[in-house]
Amino acid sequence: MKKTEKYHQILDALEELLDRKDIKSISVSEIAQKAGMGKGSIYYYFPSKDAILDALVERNYEQPLETAKSLAKQTDISPFTRMAMLFQACRNSSAEFLKHGNSASRDVSSDNSHESAYIHQKYLNHMIAELKPALTEIIKQGIELGEIHFDRPAALAEIVLIILSVKMDNTIIPSSPKEIEDTIWGLISLLEQGTGNPKGTLNFLTAL
C-alpha cells in the first residue's frame, strides 16, 4: 500500500503514545483519536495494532538499514571493510531503537519488562531479517575472492547479527562496557578462526 500522509499520521500517533504508555494498554481507537481520524481509517491502512507497530519499527530503522543493504553492491570495497560498515549500521539501528523506544524499553528492570521484551522482539526480528541477506551476500563475495573460508555464509551472517543486535542495544541482556567489549573480542576471534584469517586480521572491527 502507498505510504500516504495518513499512513504516517497513524505511525506518528502510535509513536507519541508509546512515549507514555505500554503497547498493551494502547487501543486502535486511541491511536485513531491521536491521529485525528476515524477507527475505520486505521483499518484501511493496517489490519491490526500489531501491524502498526511493525510498520513503526520499519520506519524508524529505514535509513541505516538501507545504507547497510547497499553495501552488498559495492564490490570495489573489500568484504571485511563492508562488514565493518554493516556492523556500524547495526549500531546505528540500535541507537534508533533506544531513541524511539517507549519508557518500558528504556528500563527492563521495571514492572514492564515483559513489554520491553515484546518491543525488542519486534526490533530484533526486523533488523536481523533486513540485514541478513546483505551480510550473507558480502560473505559469499569474500568466499569467491578467497578472503573468507566458510561453507555456511547465511548461518554465519545470522550468528553475527544476533550477537551484535543483542549486545549493541544492551537492553535485553544488560552488560557492562567491559562485558560488551569481551563479547565483541570473542566474536572477532571466532570470525578469524572460522573464516581462515590470521589472528588480528579483524581487530579493526573494535573501532565500531
Side-chain angles (χ1 to χ4, degrees):
M1 174 174 289
K2 186 178 179 181
K3 297 179 180 179
T4 64
E5 183 178 347
K6 281 191 174 182
Y7 176 96
H8 288 290
Q9 279 180 238
I10 295 167
L11 299 188
D12 291 341
L14 178 58
E15 188 167 43
E16 287 183 38
L17 290 168
L18 283 171
D19 281 336
R20 53 187 175 82
K21 299 184 69 174
D22 61 73
I23 189 67
K24 290 181 181 178
S25 67
I26 298 172
S27 67
V28 173
S29 296
E30 195 172 2
I31 296 171
Q33 184 178 13
K34 188 72 176 177
M37 63 184 70
K39 187 175 178 180
S41 295
I42 300 288
Y43 288 117
Y44 174 78
Y45 290 97
F46 299 98
S48 64
K49 181 178 69 176
D50 208 46
I52 303 173
L53 180 59
D54 286 338
L56 179 60
V57 168
E58 180 180 349
R59 187 180 71 170
N60 282 346
Y61 311 136
E62 188 172 6
Q63 187 55 54
L65 292 177
E66 282 301 317
T67 299
K69 288 186 282 187
S70 72
L71 291 172
K73 303 174 184 177
Q74 299 178 33
T75 54
D76 55 321
I77 303 174
S78 79
F80 285 122
T81 298
R82 283 183 286 152
M83 284 176 68
M85 293 167 72
L86 193 145
F87 294 169
Q88 183 60 58
C90 188
R91 168 175 281 183
N92 291 344
S93 296
S94 296
E96 285 296 306
F97 175 82
L98 294 175
K99 183 171 71 175
H100 291 290
N102 64 11
S103 57
S105 69
R106 288 192 290 268
D107 183 9
V108 295
S109 64
S110 70
D111 293 336
N112 292 320
S113 58
H114 290 298
E115 177 73 14
S116 174
Y118 176 72
I119 298 289
H120 271 79
Q121 182 182 8
K122 292 285 187 185
Y123 154 70
L124 290 174
N125 285 348
H126 178 69
M127 186 163 144
I128 293 171
E130 290 295 311
L131 289 180
K132 182 179 175 181
L135 183 54
T136 299
E137 181 58 30
I138 291 171
I139 293 171
K140 284 180 178 178
Q141 292 168 4
I143 292 171
E144 291 171 2
L145 291 171
E147 296 181 19
I148 296 175
H149 306 280
F150 201 81
D151 59 357
R152 293 181 177 85
L156 179 60
E158 186 168 327
I159 292 167
V160 169
L161 289 171
I162 289 172
I163 295 172
L164 288 175
S165 299
V166 171
K167 279 299 176 183
M168 285 184 175
D169 75 39
N170 198 29
T171 310
I172 294 179
I173 306 175
S175 305
S176 68
K178 179 63 167 60
E179 289 171 332
I180 294 173
E181 182 182 358
D182 286 345
T183 298
I184 299 303
W185 275 112
L187 175 61
I188 288 171
S189 179
L190 286 172
L191 281 172
E192 288 173 343
Q193 294 177 47
T195 60
N197 282 275
K199 183 177 181 180
T201 303
L202 306 184
N203 284 358
F204 70 91
L205 292 180
T206 58
L208 294 172

